[in-house]
Amino acid sequence: MIIEWAILALTVLAAGTSIRAVTSRRAVRRATGALAGVEVAIPCRVAWKDGLGRHGFMYRKLTRQSHGSVFKRPARRPVTLPVGGRALLGPSWRPGMQVFEYRAPGGEELRLQCYEAEAHLVATLLRIPDPTDYT
């Protein structure tokens, strides 16, 4: 019984380490592409009652387009997110994730959950003016 638990723990540790390594490499690639001007899609979860019509998180992609940052969902129109507000960045209950408690200039409140490695890129897409607002 103890050996089975030890094997399970080692398997979980190895899987978690490899997932974080892959996520980190992808985040670096996306950040490099965004700096080069390429449209990148950042996987994230967004909760926004006013814009999405739901209280809970929806998981899809956040991208920057010519008219602003857009949250793309399958089989529905993309939703343009309000940009230029303030945010508090905190830990998530999911390992390797961060949660933005974002308040748009118009007073709308959003919650965005993204990978730790991509928090700075998400803040850039949301055009948060002061980096100390989300660190």
Side-chain angles (χ1 to χ4, degrees):
M1 184 75 161
I2 292 176
I3 293 174
E4 293 170 350
W5 281 105
I7 291 171
L8 179 64
L10 288 173
T11 303
V12 168
L13 180 65
T17 303
S18 65
I19 288 170
R20 282 187 182 212
V22 167
T23 301
S24 178
R25 282 195 306 269
R26 288 179 180 168
V28 168
R29 248 183 305 177
R30 282 192 276 269
T32 304
L35 288 175
V38 177
E39 181 180 318
V40 295
I42 302 168
C44 67
R45 295 167 50 124
V46 176
W48 181 26
K49 176 64 176 148
D50 297 334
L52 299 175
R54 293 183 61 185
H55 285 288
F57 278 110
M58 294 184 71
Y59 181 80
R60 289 299 165 225
K61 306 278 182 172
L62 181 64
T63 63
R64 179 183 354 209
Q65 294 182 343
S66 60
H67 57 278
S69 296
V70 174
F71 183 65
K72 291 185 176 181
R73 305 175 292 170
R76 294 194 180 150
R77 65 174 175 77
V79 176
T80 303
L81 297 177
V83 296
R86 295 180 146 326
L88 293 174
L89 182 63
S92 171
W93 64 272
R94 300 177 79 187
M97 304 287 279
Q98 295 284 315
V99 175
F100 279 93
E101 299 285 335
Y102 177 73
R103 182 176 293 273
E108 298 173 283
E109 294 181 12
L110 291 88
R111 289 181 300 146
L112 292 99
Q113 187 178 46
C114 64
Y115 292 109
E116 289 173 346
E118 295 179 323
H120 181 70
L121 187 54
V122 169
T124 301
L125 290 177
L126 292 175
R127 297 188 191 128
I128 298 172
D130 186 3
T132 59
D133 285 344
Y134 66 89
T135 55

